[in-house]
Amino acid sequence: MKRNFKFCLLAGAIAAFSLSACRDDKMEESALPESQSASAKIEQPGELQKSCSYVDQYWSSTAVLKTGLQNTADTNFMNSQMTKIASLWGRSNPTLRFVDDPSNFNSTYNAISYSTGKIYYGYAIYADAKNKGGDIVNAMILAHEYGHQLQYIFGLPTVNESTARPNELEADGFAGYYLRRPNGYNKTSFAEIAAAYEFAQSIGDYQTTSANHHGTPPQRRSAVRLGFLLGQYDLNAANFDYNFFYYYQGVLNGTYKMGKNTMNPEIDAYMSQYIDELRKIQTGEISEEEFKQLK
Ligand SMILES: [Zn+2]
C-alpha cells in the first residue's frame, strides 16, 4: 500500500500527458457493448494487448494493461477461475485484465477490484503467489477481489463501520466459501485453505486501494474460516451476507444466540459447533499455527 501510494503521486504528475496518448485506446474498449466485450476477452486472450503506458492512478505510470499473463497456461487458469467464481454466484464474468510493468516489475504487486465491473491483477503478485504458494493462492486472491464485485452489485455489506473492515472481512469470507464449494475450488480440507490464506495475507496489498483498517490478522482468519464453514450450504450473495454477519457480529460482540437466525435456522445447528472456535481464532487464543491445523 505504501509503495502503491508513492506511485499514485508519480502517476498523477504524468497523468495529463499520458491520458491524451491513451484516449483512442480507451474509447475503443468502452465503445464495445457490454456483452461483446465480455465474450471477446475470453475468446481472444492476447490479441487485445494494449501498448498504452497509463493504466490509471492506482498503478505505476509505466504500467501496461494486458489481456493475458506471461504464459498461456497461467492466463487460462485465471480466466477459468474467473468464470467459476462468477458462475458460483450466478453471474457472468467481470472484466479481468492483467497489469505488467517491464521497467518496474514490483510495482504490479497488487490486485484491484473496481466498482465499474473490472478486476486488474498485477503480474508481480500473480508470479509471487504462484511461486510461493501455488495456484490456490491466486484463486483465493481472485475470489476475494470478486467478493468486492458482489458488494458493488448487491450493495453489500449490510453491516457498516467507519472503516473498510466489514468489506474486507466479508471478501475474505467470500473467498473461503468459494474454495470449499463443490462447484467452486472444491477443497474440503481446511488446512490447505488456511495455509493459502496465510500466504495471501502475508504478501499484503491485494486489498483494494483503501488505506482503511482491514481487520486484524486474527479477525481475518476468523472471517475466512467462517466463509469456509458456510460453504457447507448453497447460499446466494445476500444470504451469504446475512449469515456471515449474523455469526461474525455474534462472535465479535459476544452476542451470538441473543437473537435468532431467522433466515436459516437449520444453519444454526451446524454453526453452533464452531462458534467458540471462531471466537478463539478472533481473539488469538487459537494461534496462526493452530489455525493451519483446523479440520
Ligand atoms: Zn479487499
Side-chain angles (χ1 to χ4, degrees):
M1 187 53 69
K2 288 184 195 77
R3 176 188 290 152
N4 213 359
F5 185 67
K6 195 168 66 192
F7 282 110
C8 280
L9 299 175
L10 184 61
I14 309 169
F17 161 76
S18 302
L19 274 175
S20 59
C22 296
R23 194 172 293 148
D24 288 347
D25 200 36
K26 290 200 170 193
M27 284 176 69
E28 206 174 290
E29 193 183 28
S30 61
L32 285 171
E34 202 63 19
S35 58
Q36 201 178 328
S37 62
S39 62
K41 85 174 185 296
I42 300 168
E43 287 159 19
Q44 306 172 336
E47 285 190 17
L48 299 171
Q49 295 209 352
K50 295 175 189 300
S51 55
C52 175
S53 65
Y54 183 75
V55 178
D56 62 34
Q57 71 268 33
Y58 302 114
W59 301 88
S60 147
S61 62
T62 49
V64 181
L65 199 58
K66 293 184 172 174
T67 53
L69 288 156
Q70 273 155 322
N71 71 67
T72 309
D74 288 343
T75 305
N76 290 344
F77 172 74
M78 289 298 274
N79 283 331
S80 70
Q81 284 301 302
M82 191 73 272
T83 301
K84 231 176 197 182
I85 295 164
S87 61
L88 179 73
W89 300 102
R91 310 288 306 177
S92 56
N93 286 26
T95 300
L96 175 62
R97 292 283 185 268
F98 303 94
V99 181
D100 187 18
D101 188 347
S103 65
N104 188 358
F105 190 70
N106 288 339
S107 76
T108 63
Y109 213 98
N110 204 359
I112 302 178
S113 201
Y114 297 84
S115 60
T116 49
K118 294 176 179 179
I119 294 173
Y120 288 178
Y121 208 102
Y123 268 42
I125 200 170
Y126 179 85
D128 195 47
K130 185 181 177 182
N131 289 344
K132 293 182 184 162
D135 284 339
I136 191 173
V137 182
N138 280 305
M140 173 170 267
I141 294 171
L142 191 60
H144 173 106
E145 295 305 325
Y146 189 73
H148 291 310
Q149 291 296 313
L150 292 171
Q151 291 169 343
Y152 295 133
I153 294 164
F154 295 106
L156 305 174
T158 51
V159 168
N160 293 304
E161 291 177 5
S162 57
T163 70
R165 186 175 74 161
N167 305 59
E168 295 305 325
L169 293 176
E170 186 178 55
D172 284 341
F174 277 129
Y177 179 87
Y178 168 74
L179 292 184
R180 182 179 190 174
R181 290 298 298 160
N183 55 337
Y185 207 76
N186 195 23
K187 283 283 179 199
T188 48
S189 148
F190 183 71
E192 273 181 274
I193 287 173
Y197 183 74
E198 288 301 311
F199 182 73
Q201 194 184 259
S202 74
I203 61 178
D205 291 322
Y206 63 91
Q207 309 295 340
T208 74
T209 56
S210 166
N212 291 335
H213 180 47
H214 287 56
T216 65
Q219 286 171 350
R220 298 188 61 188
R221 274 182 215 122
S222 176
V224 81
R225 174 68 168 168
L226 175 54
F228 174 83
L229 293 171
L230 291 173
Q232 176 82 357
Y233 298 91
D234 186 8
L235 305 169
N236 63 29
N239 206 208
F240 178 92
D241 175 272
Y242 174 89
N243 280 285
F244 181 85
F245 285 108
Y246 176 80
Y247 296 105
Y248 198 83
Q249 296 296 85
V251 165
L252 214 55
N253 302 334
T255 57
Y256 172 69
K257 287 202 177 295
M258 299 287 282
K260 283 239 185 300
N261 184 345
T262 53
M263 250 200 222
N264 304 94
E266 76 279 12
I267 296 181
D268 259 358
Y270 174 73
M271 288 302 300
S272 64
Q273 311 166 66
Y274 294 100
I275 291 300
D276 197 49
E277 176 197 282
L278 288 167
R279 184 186 61 76
K280 285 178 178 165
I281 297 169
Q282 190 266 130
T283 60
E285 287 169 70
I286 289 177
S287 70
E288 180 182 333
E289 284 313 308
E290 289 166 328
F291 176 69
K292 291 185 197 169
Q293 305 302 321
L294 293 174
K295 297 284 187 280

